[in-house]
Amino acid sequence: MSTPQTSIAPNAPALAAQVAPPSASLMSRPEFVWGVATASYQIEGAIAEDGRLPSIWDTFSATPGKVLHGDTGDGACDHYHRWSEDVDLIESLGVDAYRLSIAWPRVMHADGTPNRKGLDFYKKLLQRLADKGIQSFVTLYHWDLPQHLEDRGGWLNRDTAYRFAEYADLVSRELKGLVTGWATLNEPWCSAYLGYGNGHHAPGLSNGRYATQALHHLLLAHGLALPLLQANDPTAKRGIVANVGRGTTDSSKEADITAARRYEVQHNDWILQPLLKGSYPEELFKLWPGTEPLVLDGDMEIISRPLDFLGINYYFRCNLHSDGGTGFVDVPLEGVERTQMGWEVYPQGLEDLLRRFKDQYDRLPPIYITENGMASSDEVINGEVVDEQRMRFMKSHFAAVSRAMDAGVDVRGYFAWSLMDNFEWAFGYERRFGITHVDYQTQVRTLKHSGQAFKAFLALRRGS
């Protein structure tokens, strides 16, 4: 087992200042939750151990041409075996909380009975976190659908929503008392659009009608799970995590302004409006005519059940122009800062969206920023990883959240994406999002300068 390199430079205040939010920020309140985040398939590895079943991402990543360089999640960060060391790393950072996900294929057999070995893994992990005073925010579905359910139609099959409810029931009964907050789904937009709409993610299908129907069943699964989570683990918060995107235009043409608005309808309101208003945005189906999902009586009431919190994941904005019809095209701006993913660094977009959601949705629950981060091509040189761009990214986005809070947005916490470099889905291991570098050959973890600065900030916040 490797030992994380977590030393802090002697000048802690100067180091912390490289990422810290503005002085007197509401983010510095004692009750504000600071954390780091990961996801099961991206870090665990051990895909065939202790009864774990195949997932759609095992199938997808093993299909030639689907993932960059032919990478798979077979080994990932070997967290399944190194979890204790990784909890020590989390503790060393001084965070309040850790956001993780449960691997559905690891905890249930195909007949719906519990896989005790898989459940025991998460019980040990969560108990160790609790023993160290670290809150656990647990996501039930972070994209790793059991392959046997995909073979029966996956999220195109309404029955999958009911199988998810059974899974949520099992896991919340088994892990009750160990979880601070349950999130049903992570980024259903990605599961639906990237998985069923354009084929970029597992299961790799490409049909607009598939995307809207898959999204409806995902949200139905979410709504079905909420009362079960409440009954089984009543002291834990219940919510969902949505990825959001800022759409603007550099044009004054009405068609381009409309295109930018429709980007946000498709990217944000497609998810948030059914959750918070119980309806789908009509303008969505001007973008995608003829793709209205089959909605049965009572579905929208189930989907729009009250939430204790809303997780928001934010990474970038797009510059939109009209495609000449009802849709939009992304026209990348020149001369702007970008990350290894090619995404524009635009912290103002996070503030804009938080303020807009507050104004737009009367039922907006308290918000946690459950993912925010950037990829860079980091290397260990003389035992150090100097990632200055990530430190600037963190500081500017902390400031954006702080401004939104000053404007009255109820943000309760921030989770940096990610604790460590990991399997970045269709981009494999090339794109590094971690504040901790992972050598995938040796599994040595090295805290990057951004991680050291984050750690220094948290220590000063605690007064330690």
Side-chain angles (χ1 to χ4, degrees):
M1 302 288 275
S2 59
T3 301
Q5 300 178 22
T6 58
S7 60
I8 296 179
N11 190 353
L15 185 60
Q18 296 184 70
V19 298
S23 61
S25 169
L26 293 173
M27 298 174 82
S28 297
R29 297 176 302 180
E31 64 271 22
F32 191 86
V33 174
W34 288 95
V36 286
T38 64
S40 53
Y41 190 74
Q42 294 183 267
I43 67 168
E44 285 181 0
I47 65 167
E49 290 192 39
D50 293 334
R52 181 189 177 279
L53 300 175
S55 79
I56 56 174
W57 270 96
D58 299 317
T59 303
F60 188 76
S61 63
T63 303
K66 295 299 185 181
V67 175
L68 193 64
H69 307 311
D71 293 339
T72 73
D74 294 7
C77 304
D78 196 31
H79 175 72
Y80 189 72
H81 300 114
R82 300 170 186 266
W83 67 271
S84 182
E85 169 194 350
D86 289 339
V87 171
D88 290 342
L89 171 61
I90 295 165
E91 180 187 30
S92 75
L93 292 171
V95 294
D96 304 306
Y98 175 48
R99 177 178 174 240
L100 66 148
S101 74
I102 305 293
W104 187 349
R106 199 179 290 286
V107 298
M108 284 187 92
H109 298 301
D111 63 2
T113 58
N115 177 0
R116 290 293 165 196
K117 289 184 178 180
L119 287 164
D120 286 347
F121 167 72
Y122 293 108
K123 287 180 181 178
K124 289 187 298 183
L125 173 59
L126 293 170
Q127 187 61 61
R128 182 70 61 84
L129 289 163
D131 291 345
K132 293 179 178 293
I134 299 168
Q135 301 174 48
S136 296
F137 282 71
V138 173
T139 303
L140 285 167
Y141 184 68
H142 202 128
W143 307 355
D144 41 3
L145 183 71
Q147 182 61 45
H148 68 88
L149 292 179
E150 181 59 38
D151 292 342
R152 288 156 44 188
W155 291 111
L156 298 179
N157 184 348
R158 184 181 176 92
D159 183 66
T160 301
Y162 295 94
R163 302 291 76 77
F164 177 82
E166 293 175 353
Y167 158 63
D169 185 31
L170 170 68
V171 172
S172 57
R173 281 188 282 110
E174 293 285 340
L175 302 181
K176 64 182 178 182
L178 294 173
V179 175
T180 304
W182 292 101
T184 53
L185 310 174
N186 177 77
E187 300 185 351
W189 185 95
C190 291
S191 296
Y193 184 71
L194 299 182
Y196 293 87
N198 72 3
H200 183 62
H201 280 184
L205 303 181
S206 303
N207 183 298
R209 179 71 170 77
Y210 289 175
T212 57
Q213 193 63 60
L215 190 280
H216 182 69
H217 291 155
L218 281 153
L219 295 184
L220 179 64
H222 153 80
L224 291 169
L226 287 179
L228 299 169
L229 298 174
Q230 172 67 24
N232 294 338
D233 198 8
T235 63
K237 301 179 180 72
R238 300 165 304 139
I240 188 172
V241 172
N243 59 300
V244 298
R246 182 73 171 106
T248 62
T249 183
D250 61 349
S251 166
S252 60
K253 295 179 180 178
E254 187 62 33
D256 296 333
I257 294 169
T258 297
R261 185 185 70 249
R262 287 185 171 170
Y263 169 88
E264 291 200 1
V265 168
Q266 186 254 31
H267 214 83
N268 306 331
D269 301 324
W270 183 24
I271 312 302
L272 297 183
Q273 185 169 315
L275 290 170
L276 301 177
K277 291 188 174 182
S279 62
Y280 289 108
E282 292 184 6
E283 195 165 17
L284 177 69
F285 305 111
K286 295 178 182 178
L287 273 170
W288 296 336
T291 65
E292 293 86 345
L294 175 62
V295 178
L296 301 187
D297 288 347
D299 282 3
M300 301 313 294
E301 288 77 14
I302 293 171
I303 287 170
S304 59
R305 283 170 169 159
L307 299 170
D308 297 322
F309 72 91
L310 173 66
I312 291 292
N313 296 353
Y314 172 82
Y315 289 96
F316 60 93
R317 76 154 169 184
C318 289
N319 179 58
L320 289 314
H321 285 194
S322 170
D323 65 358
T326 60
F328 52 77
V329 292
D330 182 15
V331 181
L333 294 169
E334 296 183 0
V336 298
E337 182 183 9
R338 297 189 180 275
T339 71
Q340 186 190 21
M341 295 291 286
W343 297 343
E344 181 187 356
V345 177
Y346 190 69
Q348 183 61 44
L350 179 54
E351 178 190 352
D352 293 344
L353 290 172
L354 291 173
R355 295 176 69 150
R356 177 172 298 175
F357 299 154
K358 175 181 178 292
D359 293 340
Q360 186 172 350
Y361 294 108
D362 295 336
R363 293 178 53 217
L364 185 70
I367 288 171
Y368 290 85
I369 306 302
T370 36
E371 289 183 28
N372 181 232
M374 57 152 287
S376 53
S377 53
D378 304 319
E379 298 180 27
V380 180
I381 300 175
N382 297 324
E384 299 287 330
V385 182
V386 181
D387 55 339
E388 293 181 353
Q389 186 186 19
R390 182 171 288 104
M391 288 188 283
R392 295 194 307 271
F393 182 101
M394 294 170 75
K395 188 176 183 67
S396 63
H397 285 77
F398 294 171
V401 174
S402 186
R403 292 193 301 270
M405 293 175 71
D406 288 341
V409 183
D410 186 4
V411 182
R412 302 283 180 90
Y414 176 102
F415 292 78
W417 185 268
S418 173
L419 168 66
M420 65 180 81
D421 297 334
N422 52 55
F423 178 80
E424 182 47 40
W425 307 111
F427 295 100
Y429 296 105
E430 182 183 271
R431 312 295 167 91
R432 293 180 175 271
F433 274 87
I435 62 171
T436 305
H437 180 278
V438 177
D439 183 319
Y440 296 111
Q441 299 302 313
T442 65
Q443 291 297 338
V444 168
R445 278 81 156 128
T446 302
L447 200 62
K448 303 177 186 180
H449 280 202
S450 61
Q452 294 178 26
F454 190 41
K455 175 178 177 176
F457 159 66
L458 294 173
L460 289 174
R461 171 176 170 263
R462 293 191 311 272
S464 60

